[in-house]
Structures are given as C-alpha cells and as structure tokens.
Amino acid sequence: MTDSAAVSRREASRPNRFPDSIESRSSWVAATITVLILAISYGAPLVAVVGLKPIATSLGTERSVVALASALVWVGTGLGGIAMGWIADRIGVRLTVMFGALMTALGLAVSATSQIWALYLGHAILIGLLGSSAHFPPLVVYVSRWFDRRRGTALALVSSGQYIAGMVWPSVFERSLAQFGWQATMLGYAVVVAAAILPLALFLYPPPHAGRLAASVAGLPHHPPPLGLPAKRVQILLCAAGFLCCVPMAMPAGHLVAFCSDVGIPAARGAAMLSVLLGCAFVSRLFWGWLTDRVGGLVAVLAGSACQALAIVAFGVTQDEVGLFAVSAAYGLGFSGIIPAYVVAMRELFPSSEASWRVPTLLFTSMSGMAFGAWFAGALYDHFGFYAPAFGAGALFNLANLVVIGFLVTR
C-alpha cells in the first residue's frame, strides 16, 4: 500500500468537522514539519547577513559585494524552485527536500573557504539554486494541497519558517561570529542543516488527494479566465507586483544590523532588533493568514503592502535605538502576510494542476525582488555613505506595487 493510500485510509476513519474538506489532523502535522524544515533552511543565508561587516572586512571588499552573495540566494531559490516544483511532483517532496539539505550544507562549507568567488558559488548556486529552491517553493505547493478551507492560515504558518529562523538565529550567529569567526560559524551551521533536515524529511508523506488531483482537474472542460483577463496577463501582473513589493521588503532585513552599527548602536542590539522584526512578523503572519481566508488573496496583498510602505518610510527618518526597535516591530507586523497572500491569490485564480509551475514562477520574481533590494540597498550605501536613499527608493518601489495590485483588486 502506498503512503498516500495509507494516509487516505487513516483519515477516512476519523470524524471530520467538514465532510467535504480534505483537511485533517495529518494536514497540520505536515504543515508543522514543513515549518521546522524551513526554520532551519532559512538560517543558512542569515550568517552572511549578520556577519556582513566582518565578512566584508575579512575579504577586503565592500559591503555590496557580500550583500550581493546573500541576495543571489533569493534569485537562485526562485529560479531553481520552478524546476524543483516539477521534480517534486515526479519523485516526491521527501527526496527533493533531502537533496536541498545536502546542497545547503555543502554551500555553507564552500562559502567558508575565504574567497569571494567561493562565497558567490556557495550562496548563489549551492544554497540558492540547488538548496533553498528544493525547500520553500515545493513545500509551499505541497502544503497548499493538504488544505482547502484554511489554506491561507496554513500557508501563513508555513511561510513563518523564515521568521522563526529570524527570531532564533541572528543572536546565535552574532555570538558565534564574535567568538569563533564567520568561517567556523558557517561550517558549524552546515552540520546543523544536514543533521536536522534529513530526518525531518522522512515524515513528509504525500497529500491524501494527490492521486485524485490530476483526474479531477482533467475532467474540467474549461477554466474561466481569471479576473476577466487573459491568464498570461494576470500571471505577469502578479509577478511584477511580487518583484516591486519585495525590493523594499529585503532592505531592512538585509541591512538592519549594519545600519544600526552605522548610527552607533552595538551589533548585538542590531541583531536583537532583527530578531524583533522577524519575531513580530511571525506573530502577525497568523493574523494575516486568518484575514486572507476571509477577504481573499489580492485584498490581503493590498493591505499588507500599504502597511509595508508606511514602515519603510519610517526607517528612513528614524535613527535612535528606541525608535528603530519600534519601527522594526511595526515593519514586522505589517509586511509578513504579503507572500502567503500572493500564493493564495494564485491558487484562487488558477487551476490546482498548474500550481507546481505558476506558484514557483511567482516566487522566483518575488525572490528576485528580494535579491535586487538587498543588493541595491548596499550599492546605494556604498555610493552615498548612508542608508536614507535606499529607504527612499524602497518606498517608490512599494508605491508602484500598490498601483498594480490596486488595478487587480478593482477587477
């Protein structure tokens, strides 16, 4: 008997609050395991974020060079995620996730060899293109197929793996960097990634409806055009919106520790501030998931993007420690629901059978925006010597996002 059939048989014997729903206790188990995997996987690129200044000093280069290595993780994750979504549909998400864990661990080890080219190879190719790409995009699609009634809440929970990593790892890495150096920190975390994710992946069972999905969709003669527009145009607009909102999204997360150091705030406080930002994002993401289930993906994106725009402006005009802690908390509360809401919108507008390539394509453009934003903020800092121009540019990108999403909402 296959894993999928066994799960289906177990669930058939349990009472279900919603008789027509595919959701069950096993759905939440799958979501919880996915959160744990992502909380560990997302820690890998944070070593370079927390160690931005010492790594740049050690390699004798500018901050934008190191920031670009971290940024390329997002590009690699998004680009590789398109292929990994297709692969996971064929060999299963379990083997795909295991492969990603091994590549992430190898990428950290290669990056620790104290060469700029190795930092790029380790982060862009191994951690991003082959590592994280086998985790986040396939796992988001995987969890979305376990849920129908509470999909927004489940995806919000799963996407919180990034913020759990942000709460846990920055302070750990900051202490390790100060005591052991950045190379030893990367090597140590490579061991953590492999030792933790490989056994967790064994518990990723196929969704109980996976075998019925293709047949049910194939029976539909025609899927109505989304929002009354050609499907290709809606996909392009959503991808463009994802890029535009993720450019400012990446700026505080990628440069907050260095920004605090520039204005006289100790690195340990900056790392704590990053943890506060991502911790608030984790707490509020569950609210955004609940809201998305009730108002729909597009409206939730619009609301989250508006909150993010206000917070990015506040970063540009705040430099005292108390104020930055407050702005960091507000920023985390505002932006955290945007990406899960995009995924829900995609699932609402397009057939489930197309999720394995449409969702990773959206995530690719969004992560490209994250990569560009992290690099662009570093490049603007290198040119001007302070971060205010970067935050101003981020606000403009956010405004453009509101225009695109506002158009789609009016449809």
Side-chain angles (χ1 to χ4, degrees):
M1 179 182 295
T2 66
D3 288 336
S4 181
V7 170
S8 297
R9 210 165 125 182
R10 285 199 306 271
E11 297 309 330
S13 64
R14 295 176 182 162
N16 195 334
R17 181 182 170 189
F18 303 107
D20 297 329
S21 176
I22 61 173
E23 295 175 21
S24 65
R25 185 183 306 168
S26 293
S27 300
W28 293 106
V29 171
T32 301
I33 292 171
T34 298
V35 169
L36 293 174
I37 291 172
L38 293 177
I40 298 165
S41 176
Y42 269 118
L46 286 177
V47 180
V49 171
V50 176
L52 179 63
K53 290 181 71 174
I55 293 174
T57 301
S58 173
L59 298 179
T61 188
E62 296 179 324
R63 292 185 194 181
S64 59
V65 174
V66 180
L68 179 60
S70 299
L72 290 174
V73 172
W74 295 105
V75 177
T77 300
L79 182 60
I82 300 173
M84 291 297 179
W86 181 87
I87 291 171
D89 269 357
R90 281 147 185 82
I91 69 171
V93 72
R94 182 185 299 166
L95 292 177
T96 306
V97 168
M98 287 181 170
F99 173 78
L102 294 175
M103 292 299 101
T104 299
L106 180 60
L108 286 167
V110 170
S111 298
T113 57
S114 301
Q115 298 291 330
I116 294 176
W117 66 265
L119 191 69
Y120 284 152
L121 172 64
H123 278 68
I125 304 300
L126 295 173
I127 297 177
L129 186 67
L130 300 175
S132 295
S133 69
H135 293 159
F136 185 59
L139 285 172
V140 166
V141 175
Y142 167 75
V143 171
S144 76
R145 288 174 172 167
W146 277 97
F147 292 87
D148 48 9
R149 296 179 181 270
R150 302 179 187 87
R151 183 176 290 149
T153 302
L155 290 176
L157 174 65
V158 166
S159 300
S160 296
Q162 177 184 2
Y163 305 126
I164 296 174
M167 287 189 292
V168 173
W169 300 118
S171 295
V172 174
F173 291 155
E174 192 275 330
R175 292 181 187 135
S176 179
L177 288 163
Q179 187 170 356
F180 304 109
W182 64 273
Q183 295 98 329
T185 301
M186 284 189 176
L187 289 172
Y189 198 68
V191 175
V192 171
V193 168
I197 295 181
L198 290 177
L200 283 172
L202 296 174
F203 296 95
L204 295 173
Y205 298 108
H209 65 299
R212 302 193 303 268
L213 178 64
S216 63
V217 174
L220 295 176
H222 176 69
H223 193 271
L227 305 176
L229 297 170
K232 183 183 295 186
R233 185 180 305 172
V234 174
Q235 177 85 29
I236 291 172
L237 288 172
L238 283 171
C239 289
F243 180 90
L244 290 168
C245 79
C246 285
V247 171
M249 188 184 294
M251 290 179 175
H255 292 268
L256 184 57
V257 178
F259 173 56
C260 288
S261 179
D262 288 344
V263 298
I265 300 173
R269 298 284 183 86
M273 202 175 294
L274 180 59
S275 293
V276 167
L277 186 156
L278 296 175
C280 289
F282 169 69
V283 172
S284 66
R285 177 156 277 188
L286 300 180
F287 161 77
W288 285 108
W290 172 85
L291 181 67
T292 302
D293 283 336
R294 282 150 182 80
V295 302
L298 286 177
V299 175
V301 170
L302 184 66
S305 182
C307 293
Q308 176 179 275
L310 294 174
I312 198 72
V313 171
F315 268 116
V317 298
T318 308
Q319 292 195 349
D320 64 282
E321 184 174 340
V322 174
L324 283 173
F325 265 109
V327 173
S328 297
Y331 186 80
L333 293 171
F335 85 97
S336 62
I338 296 176
I339 297 301
Y342 272 117
V343 177
V344 172
M346 190 69 71
R347 291 300 312 273
E348 289 170 343
L349 296 172
F350 298 101
S352 179
S353 60
E354 300 175 4
S356 61
W357 69 269
R358 286 196 183 275
V359 171
T361 301
L362 172 67
L363 294 175
F364 165 60
T365 55
S366 299
M367 291 176 182
S368 297
M370 295 286 288
F372 177 77
W375 170 82
F376 191 45
L380 289 175
Y381 173 86
D382 289 338
H383 181 75
F384 292 101
F386 58 103
Y387 279 108
F391 293 131
L396 293 177
F397 275 94
N398 215 139
L399 179 62
N401 165 266
L402 288 171
V403 171
V404 176
I405 293 297
F407 166 74
L408 292 176
V409 169
T410 61
R411 300 291 303 187

